[in-house]
Amino acid sequence: MSALKIKKGSTSHSAYNLRPTFSDVVEKHTLAVLVENEPGVLARVIGLFSGRGYNIESLTVAEVDHQGHLSRITIVTTGTPQVIEQIKTQLGRIVPVHEVHDLTVEGASVERELAMFKVAGQGEKRVEALRLADIFRANVVDSTLESFIFEITGAPEKIDAFADLMRPLGLVEVARTGVAALPRGD
Amino acid sequence: MVVQSLIDQGVDTVFGYPGGAVLPIYDEVFQQNSIKHILVRHEQGAVHAAEGYARATGKPGVCLVTSGPGATNAVTGLTDALMDSIPIIVLTGQVPTFMIGSDAFQEADTVGITRPCTKHNWLVKETDALSGTLHEAFHVATSGRPGPVLVDIPKDVQFATGTYSGPKPSASHYQPRVKGDMEEITELVAAIETAKRPIFYTGGGVINSGPGASQLLRELVEATGFPITSTLMGLGAYPASGKHWVGMLGMHGLYEANMAMHDCDLMINIGARFDDRITGRIDAFSPKSKKAHIDIDPSSINKVIKTDIPIVGDVGHVLEDILKVWKSRGRKTNASAVAQWWTKIDEWKAVDCLKFKQEGKTIKPQYALERLEALTKDHDRYICTEVGQHQMWAAQYLGFEDPNRWMTSGGLGTMGYGFPASIGVQMGHPDALVINVAGEASWLMNMQELGTAMQFNLPVKQFILNNERLGMVRQWQELLHGERYSHSWSESLPDFVKLAEAFGAKGILCDDPADLDDAIMEMLNHDGPVLFDCLVEKHENCFPMIPSGKAHNEMLLGEAETQGVIDAKGSVLV
């Protein structure tokens, strides 16, 4: 364990195992970043991404350890292996960052996202939307005579698929939380 | 409480400028004698002075400035220190906590503005957290890869009384790793044992690691007999008079250094970061070499150049381990191949890329520096520079025998850095000879600090190579923009001698090579700040040069055909 608590050699891409894998292939990685819950820490992380031109596909943040004063930021990002490596080491350099984990390469992990869909329509379309929601195990959390709000939880791909199905059935508004993720096992 | 924290951190000098939001701290400064406060004339000057002080003494530099404009004026200096990894602590006043966000007089979102240009910053909203934060600030600034930090202190927090706690650096979760991985170190040692064409490529990290690291570097270089080159920031870690020194590398580096980098088979990067001024064209950078990289900052490794042997750790610790392992394995090198490699390097050296002809009645800038070197090299000497051609010439023509003797703005390239930096250096070393090699344009950017030098009786020597041009801009316009010299000269330069006299300092004008030695001696013999206006050849270009977008082995050596050497792709680079 290093001072930054990045597990040494825990992955082929860990911050302290810097064997280069320079390739042009753009990969999608999910990073879990444990940070000190102090003012400005999110601005530091976001500023790093915008300042150095990295991508953010999704970002979620919340306090996870009230006593330890720690928040967990889950970032889904894309880039070549070199860029991903840079993102991780640059994140590790931010003083209030305690740990950086690349869940994509540190073994299997579970990713979940919550989304709400407002679908407006009447007649057959409204019935079809309800039927599909049932198949996707989405819950109805609000309803009017002309609309539903569905709540759905799952991997981002599942939510994408649900959105594709709802679009022709009268999808008017979507709210998504972004990805939260945990590694499997212990 | 602020002053007590500074005293407990061993601070003896603070550079600053008062204002409404820091008055309570200034009141405390007034009532004590342990800390000297140097009143600068502009907050940028305070930060550069602190940088100069830090770099010349190895201790962190400290600044105290007010809110709003005081803080925003510090931004350039903070960015400069971030790029060059200089440990400084900037304390800014802030409007009282209950007024934050109300667009109060002299309010600025200081932590927001300085977030990207500090290593870390804090806004202290509770007095009880103040001393702990200040000690943490010193810890963060000086550990790992050093850098600037800022603590923003609202005025009501300054007025309030709270509980003071002393320094406890071990309490911080921020503990960067300093020991290198032994497996990687052993791999590097194995590479050292067999390398045919090795080179050490060292940088500012060696200086930052402390004098011990320079000592270990010298031991390793002498023991292996490998050639060594250095970046601008690393000059002095290995002595310029050393047998294995091949000079500075990079855009305006020496021919032999760049050719050796290009043709080497083992490159050992120690505390440098493959800056674009060093690498030139990335895909043609040292194509045949195995590259080892020692750096305390993991993000420097593989950022630009693919590294074969990455070693994360402090240079001093890693060098110690390398020496230990290398010695225990029998101190082997491929001596006969290295001897052949030296023959090749000596051929490149014979090109004599720094040769110039001093003829006629106009002083060549190179000649001026050659004479400055000859007349000052035996002094206890510290050199600062501004940014531009004179900076590169100073790096080429002056010799640095020890670390911490060369203060220059490398990463950010801040014109106006050198003069205030020289003031900071002189504060750290009151009896030493401190010279700022300047261009007239850079020097004018922070000329107000002449008042500081006079007030505190700091005998800094300002050696201005005055070509009445923005020399480096002019050179690029000549090479790249069809000799259209758009706004690269000033038509209303001051009379520097009179300017000096207006501040009560001494001014010396020299425009004849025959008078140069006497004039330099006059400068050295004067006990007080001197403004030396050295009128030099106006159109001299800085060579050798790797044009933008070119490789190390495509250097321009002199006034040969320079038109059209930078292609369209290279011209977008700076």
Side-chain angles (χ1 to χ4, degrees):
Chain A
M1 289 286 256
S2 75
L4 287 174
K5 297 182 188 158
I6 298 171
K7 269 188 218 159
K8 183 174 145 44
S10 59
T11 82
S12 62
H13 292 261
S14 103
Y16 288 97
N17 184 1
L18 297 152
R19 295 296 173 178
T21 42
F22 283 22
S23 113
D24 294 332
V25 184
V26 173
E27 300 172 355
K28 183 187 278 198
H29 285 240
T30 304
L31 309 179
V33 189
L34 226 55
V35 301
E36 197 96 9
N37 186 12
E38 63 175 34
V41 65
L42 185 61
R44 279 175 219 285
V45 170
I46 293 172
L48 170 70
F49 277 77
S50 66
R52 293 188 185 262
Y54 306 140
N55 298 315
I56 298 180
E57 298 248 311
S58 101
L59 184 145
T60 60
V61 55
E63 188 176 68
V64 290
D65 178 356
H66 186 70
Q67 297 243 288
H69 217 53
L70 292 176
S71 288
R72 188 183 178 100
I73 302 178
T74 309
I75 306 169
V76 181
T77 183
T78 56
T80 61
Q82 185 199 4
V83 169
I84 301 281
E85 206 50 58
Q86 265 294 299
I87 291 172
K88 286 188 273 178
T89 51
Q90 293 287 356
L91 282 170
R93 213 156 83 111
I94 297 175
V95 173
V97 166
H98 286 240
E99 294 178 42
V100 180
H101 290 284
D102 185 343
L103 299 180
T104 306
V105 294
E106 291 180 19
S109 64
V110 182
E111 294 188 0
R112 282 294 180 270
E113 189 178 354
L114 187 140
M116 292 198 287
F117 290 79
K118 187 184 284 179
V119 181
Q122 289 175 316
E124 190 50 38
K125 278 189 173 174
R126 186 170 157 87
V127 178
E128 184 62 15
L130 203 56
R131 199 173 314 152
L132 286 168
D134 192 39
I135 293 167
F136 274 76
R137 298 199 185 118
N139 300 320
V140 178
V141 291
D142 181 62
S143 174
T144 66
L145 292 175
E146 271 116 40
S147 70
F148 290 119
I149 293 178
F150 297 117
E151 171 208 274
I152 179 167
T153 315
E157 297 75 28
K158 174 181 164 183
I159 294 172
D160 289 344
F162 189 64
D164 288 343
L165 289 171
M166 286 301 120
R167 211 161 282 123
L169 299 176
L171 182 62
V172 286
E173 215 174 339
V174 186
R176 292 175 74 154
T177 58
V179 173
L182 283 178
R184 286 195 59 201
D186 39 44
Chain B
M1 192 179 308
V2 173
V3 172
Q4 190 56 48
S5 304
L6 297 182
I7 292 171
D8 285 354
Q9 287 290 342
V11 174
D12 53 20
T13 310
V14 171
F15 303 89
Y17 201 99
V22 275
L23 284 179
I25 300 176
Y26 266 90
D27 202 33
E28 293 300 322
V29 169
F30 187 83
Q31 299 175 51
Q32 56 83 44
N33 287 315
S34 330
I35 296 174
K36 261 179 289 182
H37 177 272
I38 303 301
L39 174 70
V40 294
R41 297 302 187 264
H42 185 286
E43 288 86 352
Q44 187 188 351
V47 186
H48 291 323
E51 284 187 89
Y53 177 89
R55 200 152 175 82
T57 62
K59 297 191 286 185
V62 181
C63 298
L64 177 57
V65 300
T66 194
S67 64
T72 56
N73 278 343
V75 165
T76 303
L78 287 168
T79 314
D80 193 274
L82 184 69
M83 291 288 269
D84 287 344
S85 306
I86 311 292
I88 56 168
I89 292 97
V90 176
L91 310 179
T92 51
Q94 180 57 276
V95 301
T97 45
F98 53 86
M99 289 180 84
I100 289 177
S102 69
D103 296 331
F105 177 65
Q106 293 197 329
E107 180 183 359
D109 176 9
T110 302
V111 285
I113 290 168
T114 60
R115 198 171 285 132
C117 61
T118 51
K119 185 175 172 188
H120 196 58
N121 61 16
W122 297 262
L123 167 64
V124 182
K125 286 185 165 174
E126 283 138 30
T127 310
D128 281 343
L130 183 56
S131 53
T133 306
L134 287 167
H135 296 310
E136 171 79 358
F138 276 84
H139 171 69
V140 169
T142 52
S143 39
R145 182 177 177 175
V149 298
L150 181 143
V151 184
D152 199 22
I153 313 171
K155 197 170 180 180
D156 53 338
V157 174
Q158 298 173 32
F159 266 126
T161 47
T163 329
Y164 179 81
S165 57
K168 282 196 283 306
S170 56
S172 171
H173 93 86
Y174 182 72
Q175 307 286 353
R177 117 182 195 167
V178 291
K179 293 289 273 182
D181 185 294
M182 284 314 282
E183 233 170 86
E184 304 284 9
I185 287 172
T186 310
E187 196 177 335
L188 173 55
V189 169
I192 287 173
E193 287 166 347
T194 55
K196 293 188 178 121
R197 299 184 308 280
I199 188 160
F200 287 108
Y201 149 46
T202 62
V206 184
I207 314 254
N208 277 336
S209 182
S214 293
Q215 215 44 55
L216 290 163
L217 175 70
R218 289 167 190 214
E219 190 185 337
L220 182 63
V221 172
E222 300 312 324
T224 56
F226 293 176
I228 171 167
T229 178
S230 157
T231 65
L232 183 72
M233 295 307 295
L235 295 177
Y238 183 82
S241 60
K243 205 168 86 191
H244 303 101
W245 178 240
V246 293
M248 181 180 79
L249 81 160
M251 186 175 263
H252 293 290
L254 269 60
Y255 181 71
E256 51 268 36
N258 284 335
M259 291 302 282
M261 285 288 278
H262 188 267
D263 283 3
C264 68
D265 71 344
L266 173 65
M267 178 188 298
I268 307 163
N269 173 345
I270 308 178
R273 60 180 175 92
F274 294 112
D275 179 86
D276 59 81
R277 300 291 101 160
I278 298 303
T279 58
R281 204 174 105 202
I282 298 279
D283 59 3
F285 176 73
S286 193
K288 287 163 275 187
S289 63
K290 180 178 241 189
K291 296 174 188 73
H293 188 175
I294 303 166
D295 203 305
I296 197 158
D297 177 2
S299 76
S300 281
I301 293 174
N302 281 329
K303 181 169 67 179
V304 191
I305 297 290
K306 191 168 153 178
T307 303
D308 303 289
I309 308 172
I311 303 175
V312 176
D314 169 64
V315 168
H317 286 85
V318 174
L319 282 176
E320 200 180 342
D321 285 340
I322 290 173
L323 274 163
K324 218 181 284 166
V325 175
W326 181 68
K327 283 176 185 167
S328 73
R329 288 167 52 124
R331 302 167 157 266
K332 288 186 289 255
T333 58
N334 188 344
S336 62
V338 173
Q340 271 181 35
W341 175 226
W342 269 109
T343 313
K344 187 78 202 156
I345 291 172
D346 288 336
E347 280 170 34
W348 290 322
K349 275 191 175 172
V351 170
D352 194 10
C353 66
L354 292 182
K355 66 171 175 280
F356 66 94
K357 273 200 217 107
Q358 172 62 48
E359 43 191 16
K361 295 290 279 174
T362 313
I363 301 171
K364 287 256 188 186
Q366 298 95 325
Y367 178 71
L369 286 165
E370 202 174 78
R371 294 317 303 157
L372 184 72
E373 167 74 359
L375 297 171
T376 63
K377 68 174 176 203
D378 296 328
H379 286 71
D380 178 17
R381 182 187 74 174
Y382 292 81
I383 300 283
C384 301
T385 75
E386 306 285 347
V387 169
Q389 284 183 325
H390 68 273
Q391 179 189 26
M392 294 299 114
W393 282 318
Q396 291 169 344
Y397 290 90
L398 303 180
F400 299 96
E401 297 298 312
D402 290 300
N404 304 94
R405 300 228 164 213
W406 165 243
M407 276 57 59
T408 193
S409 170
L412 194 63
T414 311
M415 290 173 71
Y417 164 87
F419 185 17
S422 70
I423 286 173
V425 175
Q426 191 83 74
M427 277 310 297
H429 302 282
D431 301 322
L433 169 65
V434 181
I435 303 173
N436 176 33
V437 177
E440 81 291 345
S442 284
W443 192 83
L444 286 172
M445 282 201 178
N446 271 324
M447 57 165 274
Q448 76 284 348
E449 300 306 330
L450 199 46
T452 311
M454 288 308 296
Q455 180 175 341
F456 295 92
N457 198 18
L458 301 168
V460 287
K461 312 300 182 207
Q462 305 301 311
F463 192 72
I464 302 177
L465 298 173
N466 183 351
N467 59 3
E468 300 171 15
R469 302 285 182 282
L470 304 180
M472 194 59 94
V473 173
R474 197 209 63 81
Q475 176 168 347
W476 280 61
Q477 287 172 333
E478 180 185 318
L479 297 180
L480 204 65
H481 296 278
E483 300 182 48
R484 291 180 295 280
Y485 299 120
S486 182
H487 296 269
S488 55
W489 77 95
S490 166
E491 286 181 32
S492 58
L493 285 172
D495 176 332
F496 283 98
V497 174
K498 281 189 186 154
L499 180 66
E501 286 164 359
F503 278 90
K506 185 180 176 61
I508 300 172
L509 176 89
C510 183
D511 61 355
D512 187 337
D515 301 338
L516 189 59
D517 279 23
D518 287 346
I520 291 176
M521 286 315 292
E522 191 186 344
M523 171 178 87
L524 300 180
N525 290 330
H526 178 73
D527 183 22
V530 177
L531 207 50
F532 190 107
D533 186 12
C534 185
L535 296 180
V536 297
E537 167 65 46
K538 298 185 196 335
H539 300 114
E540 190 67 17
N541 281 335
C542 187
F543 288 110
M545 176 181 185
I546 303 175
S548 292
K550 299 281 181 188
H552 276 175
N553 59 351
E554 299 174 287
M555 289 196 90
L556 303 177
L557 282 175
E559 296 292 351
E561 183 50 54
T562 48
Q563 275 300 310
V565 289
I566 300 176
D567 55 23
K569 218 169 137 195
S571 67
V572 300
L573 304 169
V574 286

